[in-house]
Amino acid sequence: HIYLFKINGEKRKQITKGEWEVTDFYGFDEKNKTLYYQSTERSPLQRDIYSINISGKKKKLLSEDLGTNKASFSENYKYFINTHSSSNTPNLINLYNTKGEKKRTIKDSNKLRETLEEYDLTKKKFFEFITESGINLSGWMMKPIDFDENKKYPVLMYVYGGPGSQTVEDSWGGHYMWYQLLCQQGYIVVSIDNRGTGGRGAEFKKCTYKELGKLETIDQI
């Protein structure tokens, strides 16, 4: 979260609060006493852009679409460029003012979207489950387009569970097209964010401290 300190290190107040993480801080508009940041408030899998004043009031959601939003602000904080994507849709880049109003589209990826429609692609679907240890974990799964629940399929588990990392994100990219190829070859592809990964708060991330590989392996099993 974001906190206000005096220059001598004395804490004045906590500006943002809640069961979510501030994942990026974009800056402070001194003229309007407003801060801009990215957070996981709607979901640990997603990222949104917010503004809030220095007193911790008048919080405003500036990004429109569900998924992953990444902002780049102008020097005077009058505008920002937002790059948005989701698990099954490529980048959409728009220019907004800091009221959250869209001013123009910079890139729509329409050519790529048209190309993708020519292929029989499956969808990435998210899920949650409780482990035998009582831990709630998030994951995604991609199945062959002609999936038959009465058949057995080989499963590829994609794992990268290092501290603060995330493979379970509602964003475009990564190895997405490689997974599509595997699904076309008859594989199910799955990824799980184990304990120690990001987006779920300090306790979840730091619980693997000084014993890397233990809890992560238990969760993946």
Side-chain angles (χ1 to χ4, degrees):
H1 278 293
I2 300 172
Y3 297 80
L4 177 65
F5 281 76
K6 285 186 176 180
I7 196 67
N8 64 5
E10 178 187 345
K11 187 171 78 171
R12 294 292 302 276
K13 65 167 55 181
Q14 182 176 346
I15 296 174
T16 62
K17 299 178 181 179
E19 294 297 315
W20 42 271
E21 279 192 28
V22 171
T23 46
D24 205 346
F25 177 67
Y26 295 118
F28 175 53
D29 178 359
E30 293 190 41
K31 180 180 179 181
N32 296 301
K33 305 299 182 185
T34 302
L35 303 94
Y36 299 94
Y37 65 93
Q38 179 199 63
S39 80
T40 64
E41 185 165 353
R42 287 205 277 197
S43 167
L45 280 60
Q46 299 173 342
R47 301 290 187 271
D48 286 295
I49 313 303
Y50 288 86
S51 65
I52 193 169
N53 68 19
I54 195 70
S55 64
K57 298 177 181 179
K58 296 183 179 180
K59 182 172 67 176
K60 181 177 177 61
L61 174 64
L62 301 178
S63 50
E64 294 181 295
D65 300 319
L66 293 173
T68 296
N69 295 276
K70 298 179 180 180
S72 177
F73 281 79
S74 62
E75 189 173 347
N76 59 10
Y77 293 101
K78 288 186 177 180
Y79 301 96
F80 69 95
I81 293 172
N82 185 53
T83 301
H84 169 270
S85 73
S86 66
S87 58
N88 297 296
T89 54
N91 286 349
L92 176 63
I93 304 176
N94 290 318
L95 175 68
Y96 292 83
N97 63 23
T98 45
K99 294 180 181 179
E101 300 168 339
K102 186 169 72 173
K103 307 304 290 183
R104 71 178 64 170
T105 296
I106 298 173
K107 182 181 179 182
D108 55 23
S109 298
N110 281 344
K111 185 175 181 180
L112 174 58
R113 294 169 196 264
E114 291 172 3
T115 301
L116 292 174
E117 288 178 1
E118 299 175 10
Y119 297 88
D120 203 11
L121 301 181
T122 189
K123 297 290 186 182
K124 180 184 288 186
K125 296 184 178 180
F126 296 97
F127 62 90
E128 293 184 354
F129 70 102
I130 305 294
T131 69
E132 293 178 355
S133 303
I135 306 300
N136 184 281
L137 299 179
S138 299
W140 57 255
M141 181 181 297
M142 295 172 67
K143 299 178 181 179
I145 197 73
D146 57 353
F147 176 76
D148 183 347
E149 62 181 18
N150 296 311
K151 293 182 179 180
K152 289 187 176 182
Y153 294 83
V155 176
L156 172 70
M157 294 286 295
Y158 175 71
V159 180
Y160 186 81
S165 66
Q166 277 187 275
T167 62
V168 185
E169 295 181 298
D170 191 4
S171 64
W172 175 262
H175 309 293
Y176 183 76
M177 297 309 295
W178 169 241
Y179 299 147
Q180 292 286 352
L181 176 61
L182 290 173
C183 289
Q184 289 177 353
Q185 298 300 314
Y187 288 83
I188 294 173
V189 186
V190 183
S191 192
I192 307 292
D193 273 344
N194 49 250
R195 279 174 286 182
T197 53
R200 298 271 299 272
E203 182 179 353
F204 190 86
K205 183 173 76 171
K206 295 179 180 179
C207 66
T208 61
Y209 180 58
K210 289 188 177 181
E211 52 179 9
L212 290 178
K214 177 184 175 182
L215 299 179
E216 303 96 315
T217 303
I218 292 171
D219 288 351
Q220 292 295 333
I221 292 171

